[in-house]
Amino acid sequence: MAIVAVLALAALAFDAAFATRHGFFDLKVYYGAVNWWVHGHGELYDFIKPRSTYGFTYPPFAAVAMLPMAFVPWGVAIVIASLLTIVATGLVVWWLVAEPDRRYKAALILALLIAYEPMRETFLFGQVNMLLVALVAGDLFFGVGKNRRWAGVGIGLATAVKLTPGLFILYLLLTKRWRAALVAMGTAAVTTLATAAIAPDMAREFFTNALWDTDRIGSLAFISNQSLQGLVARLNPEHPSSLLWLVLAIGVLVVWVVRSRRAYAAGDEAAGLALTGVVSCLVSPVTWIHHLVWLIPSLILLVNAGLADRAHRRRYWAIAGVSYAFLCSKVVWPFDNHFSSFWGFLGSNVYVFIALALLFLTPIRSPHEVVAQLGIAERGRSVGDPGVLS
């Protein structure tokens, strides 16, 4: 494990030299808003972090899930949030890494993720991203066999916390898992309605005002918005084209439908997770750089494919290596407010282009390869399951 230790130390040194210190900014918003609400200072969505324009932007159930923060000191909240992110990341990597030598491969990937910009941004902002990835991945990987009745619960909870994972409900519908999709929708609806019953004013404020208030999240053309909407907004920040965004979004959704159905038909649930994560980043109106942790499954699958397929090893590892290198580099930031030229447009949207490439290039294993590389992500679900598309 000496190589792992060296990589981890190198990644930490890289972060120490180049990472932006965010002081757990987003966690401060969560912590401040929940304390503001619980301790009777006012409604949740009335809270604005001092010396900023940022307030709580998530659905009401997210505040209920974060209630423990109202009863612990700030330092304890940082420790708990950080540990949860580390554990969630470890689980997701472990589930995705293929046999053999899973422990060693997982350790290597975790060491490399320390330098991965979306990962370090998630950690340094105190974001919830990896918890949502773990909820969705756990649901897809373990909602099979005897656990089938629970399929959809994790996706429903993730959707109730943040709307973007709702695309995985469409993935369930697309792959004809009607019961799991209904459970996911029911879970999201029940948790949202239960929260509305407890705090009706908070729910009304979110769905009638806060959800539509774009000033709470900043400019769509901001360099950190690495979605198709952000790309379009940087073409014309004052008047971004809704039609162009719609055409691009429909195009990537068509590709996603074709490739994710193919993945599910082959029994490759990991590829379905990866492709849906990638497309969620592309079609979401706002995809901050820390949201790009949803690209991690795709990068891991490229590494897995490189290890399993000697004939195409260089291709897979080149795609993974180049994508990873760019996504560690902060390459888009020099183009902040400098994206009007051709090179400025290219440089400011590098992460969008990487996500587009991964949508097309994420490997989908054949049924034989799924069985040969059978890991925890596919245990309990064989290619011959009735739920697999024909």
Side-chain angles (χ1 to χ4, degrees), residues 30-273:
Y30 310 152
Y31 185 84
V34 170
N35 275 277
W36 174 273
W37 169 50
V38 170
H39 298 300
H41 299 297
E43 292 297 331
L44 180 79
Y45 296 103
D46 290 338
F47 173 82
I48 299 295
K49 184 183 178 298
R51 297 181 296 281
S52 81
T53 60
Y54 293 94
F56 199 83
T57 59
Y58 294 168
F61 176 69
V64 173
M66 296 176 185
L67 272 177
M69 287 197 295
F71 306 101
V72 298
W74 168 239
V76 174
I78 292 175
V79 171
I80 292 172
S82 300
L83 288 176
L84 286 174
T85 294
I86 292 169
V87 170
T89 305
L91 286 173
V92 170
V93 170
W94 180 256
W95 293 337
L96 285 165
V97 172
E99 297 284 10
D101 301 323
R102 172 182 287 154
R103 183 177 299 178
Y104 181 61
K105 294 175 187 174
L108 282 173
I109 289 172
L110 286 170
L112 290 170
L113 285 179
I114 295 171
Y116 182 68
E117 185 178 357
M119 188 71 247
R120 67 174 183 255
E121 292 282 283
T122 287
F123 192 87
L124 294 172
F125 270 117
Q127 262 283 341
V128 300
N129 303 313
M130 284 310 302
L131 303 181
L132 301 181
V133 177
L135 267 177
V136 171
D139 192 333
L140 293 176
F141 293 159
F142 296 101
V144 294
K146 294 180 180 178
N147 297 318
R148 195 182 297 270
R149 64 184 180 277
W150 298 105
V153 172
I155 291 172
L157 289 173
T159 303
V161 169
K162 194 172 184 178
L163 300 178
T164 305
L167 188 65
F168 283 90
I169 298 178
L170 292 181
Y171 172 63
L172 293 175
L173 292 171
L174 180 67
T175 52
K176 300 182 181 180
R177 284 174 276 186
W178 313 120
R179 187 182 188 283
L182 288 172
V183 170
M185 288 185 281
T187 301
V190 167
T191 51
T192 300
L193 290 172
T195 305
I198 296 169
D201 291 339
M202 180 171 70
R204 182 169 54 252
E205 173 66 15
F206 176 77
F207 288 106
T208 62
N209 186 21
L211 178 60
W212 316 105
D213 184 3
T214 56
D215 290 337
R216 301 173 71 92
I217 58 174
S219 169
L220 291 174
F222 179 44
I223 201 71
S224 185
N225 185 13
Q226 292 291 308
S227 68
L228 291 173
Q229 179 74 286
L231 180 149
V232 170
R234 284 185 284 276
L235 286 171
N236 186 349
E238 297 300 323
H239 304 286
S241 172
S242 298
L243 178 60
L244 178 58
W245 173 76
L246 183 61
V247 170
L248 292 174
I250 291 173
V252 300
L253 286 171
V254 169
V255 176
W256 167 67
V257 167
V258 172
R259 299 208 76 217
S260 59
R261 282 179 62 87
R262 180 185 159 202
Y264 189 71
D268 195 350
E269 192 75 276
L273 166 70

Side-chain angles (χ1 to χ4, degrees), residues 284-325:
S284 174
V286 176
T287 298
W288 301 138
I289 287 173
H290 53 75
H291 296 154
L292 296 177
V293 293
W294 284 103
L295 304 187
I296 290 174
S298 179
L299 296 175
I300 294 176
L301 294 189
L302 283 163
V303 172
N304 286 345
L307 290 169
D309 187 347
R310 293 184 178 181
H312 301 95
R313 176 169 296 175
R314 290 184 179 180
R315 174 194 173 196
Y316 289 130
W317 284 3
I319 297 167
V322 170
S323 299
Y324 170 78

Side-chain angles (χ1 to χ4, degrees), residues 148 264-268 367-368 370-371 374 378 380-390:
R148 195 182 297 270
Y264 189 71
D268 195 350
H368 172 74
V370 171
V371 173
L374 192 64
E378 286 83 21
R381 177 177 184 261
S382 66
V383 177
D385 267 357
V388 178
L389 295 174
S390 58

Side-chain angles (χ1 to χ4, degrees), residues 8-24:
L9 289 172
L12 287 169
F14 178 85
D15 286 353
F18 299 106
T20 302
R21 311 299 193 271
H22 297 297
F24 297 96

